[in-house]
Amino acid sequence: MIDETVSFLRTRTAARPAVGIILGTGLGGLVKEIAAETVIDYAEIPHFPVSTVESHKGKLIVGTLGGKSVVAMQGRFHYYEGYTMGQVTYPVRVMKALGVETLLISNAAGGMNPLFSKGDIMLITDHINLLGDNPLIGPNEDTLGPRFPDMSEPYSRELIALAERVALDLKVRLQKGVFVALTGPTMETRAEYRFLRTIGADVVGMSTVPEVIVAVHQSMRVLGFSIMTDECFPDALKPVSLQEVIAVANQAEPKLTAVMKEVVTRL
Ligand code: HPA
């Protein structure tokens, strides 16, 4: 399947992107900064799942950003949409087969760390997988990666340090912390937020972890960002809507876009 997808993409582009970008809910703006050479609807790509959530546009963009050849997904696949873990992570397999070695990934997330506030950008330093599933379950394809991938450093310390230097130069405040993934689509109860905070998570979301696991399986370097779109403090919890999540993500997005672009430039 990967070979067929890549063969198709090769008919549309001769680019050899070294950087892959996956953008989260309300965070697609980085795409505007890419000098696009080729834009392909997911629906056209053999074996690619099709995006169902309205807030995602569903396009693969190949072009240059900060002088680097990049491939970006505008819109990603979520487990809660009913896709299998294999489908959710398929684009990361394809990116690697195209030559991508570095993956930049973003998401909208609820923040539980009381020192964070709405609109903050957090560098993901580590994650907790509470999806109850794993994209590597099943026979291992040894040509893609090892049976038991090491997860001692899923998010590259080197890239985290680079992002921190960039943020300092651009005067953008960055938080750092642990991302926990749940399936959704429900938001969490107060008791769940309290639990997630207790087990060591700073923010919670419904994506990213599957893609990162597959990236690590394939020895890719990962840099992950969460935008804290809502404050999930159990004793002061207010209802949150998708509209609010998107509005806050859109507001914080220019800062994130600036940081991600400059990181790519300095890679
Ligand atoms: N929980 C899970 N996912 C989210 C949240 C949340 O509170 N906010 C944005 N994505």
Side-chain angles (χ1 to χ4, degrees):
M1 281 168 68
I2 297 168
D3 289 345
E4 284 173 15
T5 304
V6 170
S7 298
F8 166 80
L9 294 174
R10 288 273 173 252
T11 68
R12 301 288 294 267
T13 176
R16 302 276 169 193
V19 180
I21 297 168
I22 301 178
L23 301 168
T25 304
L27 302 172
L30 182 61
V31 163
K32 296 192 203 85
E33 301 289 322
I34 298 174
E37 176 229 313
T38 310
V39 179
I40 311 167
D41 281 342
Y42 291 165
E44 290 182 66
I45 306 173
H47 306 303
F48 240 62
V50 172
S51 188
T52 62
V53 178
E54 259 177 69
S55 49
H56 290 82
K57 290 203 176 78
K59 286 178 173 33
L60 195 71
I61 292 128
V62 182
T64 55
L65 177 70
K68 302 281 187 328
S69 179
V70 302
V71 55
M73 287 179 74
Q74 192 173 27
R76 60 141 63 95
F77 305 105
H78 297 89
Y79 194 55
Y80 63 73
E81 293 174 87
Y83 298 113
T84 63
M85 280 283 168
Q87 289 175 309
V88 168
T89 58
Y90 187 68
V92 182
R93 296 286 184 207
V94 172
M95 283 180 174
K96 174 74 181 189
L98 282 174
V100 169
E101 294 296 342
T102 302
L103 179 67
L104 269 61
I105 190 162
S106 68
N107 60 55
M112 296 162 299
N113 184 327
L115 300 178
F116 295 0
S117 19
K118 208 149 99 162
D120 277 359
I121 302 175
M122 189 194 84
L123 276 176
I124 305 173
T125 56
D126 208 347
H127 75 221
I128 300 173
N129 178 14
L130 287 190
L131 292 167
D133 202 347
N134 188 304
L136 304 183
I137 289 175
N140 188 59
E141 181 55 55
D142 295 333
T143 56
L144 298 178
R147 171 75 289 188
F148 301 107
D150 176 71
M151 290 296 274
S152 60
E153 192 188 329
Y155 302 86
S156 161
R157 266 180 243 174
E158 203 188 330
L159 293 181
I160 290 169
L162 171 61
E164 288 186 288
R165 285 196 299 276
V166 164
L168 202 59
D169 292 345
L170 299 183
K171 299 188 165 54
V172 171
R173 188 168 66 130
L174 280 189
Q175 307 284 7
K176 280 198 289 185
V178 173
F179 176 85
V180 60
L182 274 68
T183 63
T186 45
M187 296 291 181
E188 291 67 34
T189 63
R190 291 171 199 271
E192 286 164 345
Y193 286 128
R194 197 174 287 114
F195 163 75
L196 296 171
R197 180 73 190 132
T198 305
I199 64 169
D202 295 288
V203 302
V204 54
M206 306 173 191
S207 66
T208 303
V209 163
E211 294 101 316
V212 171
I213 288 171
V214 165
V216 171
H217 184 238
Q218 303 180 120
S219 306
M220 296 161 81
R221 291 196 304 172
V222 178
L223 181 63
F225 297 89
S226 289
I227 295 279
M228 176 167 156
T229 54
D230 49 305
E231 296 180 344
C232 305
F233 308 141
D235 299 308
L237 194 64
K238 295 189 204 78
V240 64
S241 66
L242 177 65
Q243 287 71 23
E244 280 175 72
V245 165
I246 292 172
V248 176
N250 284 337
Q251 243 174 3
E253 194 240 278
K255 283 190 299 181
L256 178 62
T257 293
V259 172
M260 289 178 90
K261 183 180 177 182
E262 185 60 21
V263 166
V264 172
T265 305
R266 295 191 199 177
L267 277 174

